[in-house]
């Protein structure tokens, strides 16, 4: 992209008349050619963890452009306060970084839920556990990952985060056609986590706010002939296809026995892979402690997957000793795991995660675990060396192929 054009001694973009945006959001244009940076904000300036049900909503819209979500990011300023409303500069950040301050997260496309994550902080902590060393350096700087001191200077930290929604990271790299959507908009929404979930030592009455929230988006305006052709196709009943891998979290609790069969509902899904973590809810609900470092083996001995009467992957059970290598060998044709900077010292005791991928990098979407037309009740059968308490939760992240069909309406398959 080129820089903004200089006009009359000051730097402002030259914006053609046909680039007027109907959005009620605040917008800043830095380039008026075919690529364009737009800043979208929620209607309210500051959100507080003291306000129950406070939802951050950001509408990303355009009547003339496509969104490149891979080149866009979310930012905001987090500030901690004591119970007496003085700034708190002693609070310690969680190992997973600033995104532990967020709970529910949802993306809606033309009003329809394309992806919804119940515990966004937990999801991010899992994703970041397997990042490369190079990306971890950026995450440390941009989000405070691996640092507990980001609030120690003045009680505030400004994060910049590439949102971890699959719909914002499409598998084929295509931009989101905002101007062709019914309503010409998508909506990002987040709720705030409780203080004792976001920080490791939040005192009674401490709280935080998130302000100056921006979604910095790169837009691209297609050629008029392309748009005319697309509109004509939609008028005739055709669809544009937008492929992505969505994340869904499921939660199950132990049954108090050494053998547990967890039912994971996957009906009519094209499953790319699964991850599993065990969470002791007494640690999770505690007022102190790092909630991104509470995932251990829960005394797991072995596990297997079953679909109906069939075992998947192996005719024998996986052993706990297989946990690291079985996950690594199943991820994207087992070529990518060498770049992962896994914390081996804490993997079994604080960051334990079981992973299984049903689709390697040389397969198309139809070659994933295709459960279209089935009841899709996958059984995750685990044996433990000690009874699994009912207060221990199994958190499963299911990664499935989805397609947005964009036409006169938006359908998700």
């Amino acid at each position: 992209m080129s820089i903004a054009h200089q006009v009359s001694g000051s730097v402002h973009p030259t914006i053609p008349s046909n680039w007027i945006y109907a959005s009620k959001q605040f917008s800043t244009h830095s380039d008026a050619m075919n690529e364009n940076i737009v800043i979208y904000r929620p209607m309210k300036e500051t959100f507080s963890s003291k306000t129950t049900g406070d939802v951050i909503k950001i509408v990303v819209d355009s009547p003339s452009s496509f969104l490149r979500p891979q080149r866009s990011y979310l930012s905001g300023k987090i500030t901690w306060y004591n119970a007496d409303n003085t700034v708190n500069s002693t609070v310690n950040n969680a190992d997973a970084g600033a995104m532990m301050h967020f709970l529910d997260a949802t993306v809606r496309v033309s009003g329809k839920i394309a992806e919804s994550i119940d515990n966004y902080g937990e999801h991010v902590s899992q994703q970041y556990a397997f990042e490369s060393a190079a990306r971890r350096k950026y995450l440390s700087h941009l989000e405070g990952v691996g640092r507990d001191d980001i609030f120690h200077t003045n009680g505030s930290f400004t994060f910049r985060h590439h949102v971890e929604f699959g719909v914002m990271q499409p598998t084929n790299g295509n931009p989101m056609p905002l101007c062709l959507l019914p309503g010409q908009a998508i909506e990002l929404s987040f709720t705030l986590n409780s203080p004792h979930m976001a920080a490791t030592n939040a005192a009674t009455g401490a709280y935080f706010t998130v302000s100056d929230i921006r979604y910095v988006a790169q837009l691209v305006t297609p050629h008029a002939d392309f748009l005319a052709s697309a509109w004509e196709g939609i008028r005739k009943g055709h669809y544009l296809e937008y492929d992505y891998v969505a994340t869904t979290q499921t939660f199950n609790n132990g049954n108090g026995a050494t053998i547990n069969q967890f039912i994971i509902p996957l009906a009519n899904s094209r499953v790319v892979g699964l991850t599993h973590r065990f969470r002791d809810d007494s640690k999770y609900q505690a007022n102190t402690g790092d909630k991104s470092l509470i995932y251990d083996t829960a005394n797991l001995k072995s596990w297997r997957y079953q679909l109906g009467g069939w075992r998947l992957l192996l005719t024998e059970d996986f052993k706990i000793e297989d946990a690291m290598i079985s996950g690594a060998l199943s991820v994207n044709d087992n070529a990518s795991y060498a770049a992962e900077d896994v914390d081996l010292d804490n993997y079994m005791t604080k960051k334990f995660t079981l992973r299984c991928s049903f689709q390697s990098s040389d397969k198309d979407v139809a070659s994933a675990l295709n459960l279209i037309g089935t009841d899709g009740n996958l059984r995750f059968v685990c044996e433990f060396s000690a009874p699994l308490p009912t207060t221990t939760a199994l958190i499963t992240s299911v990664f499935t192929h989805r397609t947005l069909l964009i036409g006169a309406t938006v359908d998700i398959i």
Side-chain angles (χ1 to χ4, degrees):
M1 293 183 290
S2 62
I3 63 171
H5 299 286
Q6 188 162 345
V7 182
S8 301
S10 62
V11 177
H12 293 287
T14 302
I15 305 175
S17 59
N18 66 329
W19 279 53
I20 299 302
Y21 282 70
S23 173
K24 293 182 180 179
Q25 311 295 313
F26 301 100
S27 301
T28 300
H29 303 258
S30 65
D31 193 316
M33 305 304 289
N34 67 330
E35 292 182 341
N36 185 36
I37 295 294
V38 180
I39 296 176
Y40 297 93
R41 300 179 185 270
M43 298 303 290
K44 195 167 74 169
E45 174 61 26
T46 301
F47 297 80
S48 173
S49 64
K50 293 199 302 183
T51 305
T52 304
D54 216 5
V55 181
I56 301 168
K57 292 183 179 181
I58 304 172
V59 176
V60 180
D61 62 352
S62 172
S64 60
S65 298
F66 286 23
L67 167 69
R68 284 179 170 162
Q70 310 94 317
R71 301 184 185 181
S72 306
Y73 65 90
L74 178 73
S75 73
K77 180 181 180 181
I78 301 171
T79 305
W80 274 87
Y81 297 92
N82 297 303
D84 62 1
N85 298 322
T86 59
V87 171
N88 184 339
S89 60
T90 62
V91 71
N92 292 332
N93 187 49
D95 182 76
M99 302 319 293
M100 288 293 289
H101 290 74
F102 296 89
L103 185 58
D104 300 333
T106 302
V107 179
R108 288 178 172 84
V109 178
S110 294
K112 292 190 176 181
I113 295 177
E115 195 164 359
S116 184
I117 298 175
D118 294 328
N119 192 327
Y120 190 73
E122 193 283 331
H123 170 66
V124 168
S125 75
Q126 175 183 277
Q127 296 295 97
Y128 288 177
F130 299 97
E131 292 292 353
S132 67
R135 186 158 190 257
R136 198 178 299 279
K137 289 182 179 179
Y138 284 98
L139 292 172
S140 175
H141 176 72
L142 297 173
E143 301 181 28
V145 173
R147 297 167 52 196
D148 65 1
D149 62 350
I150 62 175
F151 300 108
H152 289 182
T153 300
N154 56 12
S156 297
F157 178 79
T158 297
F159 67 85
R160 291 166 178 83
H161 170 69
H162 183 66
V163 292
E164 291 288 333
F165 291 113
V167 71
M168 306 301 279
Q169 302 173 18
T171 55
N172 52 16
N174 284 343
M176 174 71 74
L178 294 177
C179 59
L180 299 178
L181 294 173
Q184 301 178 329
I186 65 173
E187 178 189 275
L188 308 178
S189 63
F190 300 86
T191 62
L192 299 183
N193 222 333
S194 60
H196 73 275
M197 296 293 180
T200 68
N201 63 339
T204 301
Y207 66 98
F208 64 89
T209 63
V210 184
S211 59
D212 193 23
I213 300 168
R214 309 180 304 156
Y215 185 70
V216 182
Q218 185 187 85
L219 303 185
V220 57
T221 300
H223 192 277
D225 290 345
F226 173 85
L227 287 178
S229 176
W231 278 118
E232 179 63 15
I234 289 173
R235 188 187 66 80
K236 293 180 177 179
H238 300 301
Y239 290 90
L240 277 74
E241 294 186 357
Y242 181 94
D243 296 320
Y244 64 101
V245 176
T247 302
T248 303
Q249 291 173 322
T250 67
F251 298 84
N252 302 78
N253 282 90
N255 63 7
T258 56
I259 303 293
N260 284 248
Q261 294 192 38
F262 301 104
I263 305 299
I264 304 171
L266 300 175
N268 294 315
S269 298
R270 296 169 288 167
V271 183
V272 177
L274 304 164
T275 64
H276 309 281
R277 300 176 112 182
F278 298 104
R279 186 185 71 195
D280 182 339
D281 282 344
S282 64
K283 295 179 182 179
Y284 184 67
Q285 297 296 337
N287 289 330
T288 59
D290 192 329
K291 303 309 186 294
S292 64
L293 297 176
I294 58 173
Y295 303 96
D296 59 25
T297 65
N299 298 307
L300 180 68
K301 286 178 58 179
S302 63
W303 77 94
R304 67 178 181 270
Y305 295 110
Q306 284 186 205
L307 191 61
W310 298 91
R311 291 180 181 234
L312 299 181
L313 300 178
L314 285 182
T315 57
E316 297 182 2
D317 291 359
F318 287 103
K319 306 298 183 184
I320 184 61
E321 295 82 6
D322 300 325
M324 175 66 75
I325 194 66
S326 65
L329 292 179
S330 70
V331 175
N332 287 333
D333 208 19
N334 78 46
S336 64
Y337 80 96
E340 295 176 346
D341 184 29
V342 179
D343 184 358
L344 298 177
D345 292 336
N346 292 310
Y347 174 71
M348 300 294 281
T349 57
K350 297 180 179 180
K351 298 182 178 181
F352 183 71
T353 305
L354 291 174
R355 298 183 292 168
C356 182
S357 176
F358 295 103
Q359 179 187 330
S360 59
S361 59
D362 59 347
K363 295 178 180 177
D364 60 25
V365 296
S367 299
L369 180 61
N370 194 335
L371 300 179
I372 302 297
T374 74
D375 66 9
N377 285 330
L378 184 69
R379 295 179 184 273
F380 181 50
V381 184
C382 298
E383 182 179 0
F384 300 86
S385 59
L388 186 69
T390 57
T391 54
T392 295
L394 170 72
I395 303 173
T396 298
S397 293
V398 182
F399 301 89
T400 57
H401 279 293
R402 292 185 187 173
T403 301
L404 288 177
L405 298 179
I406 300 169
T409 61
V410 170
D411 295 305
I412 303 170
I413 61 173

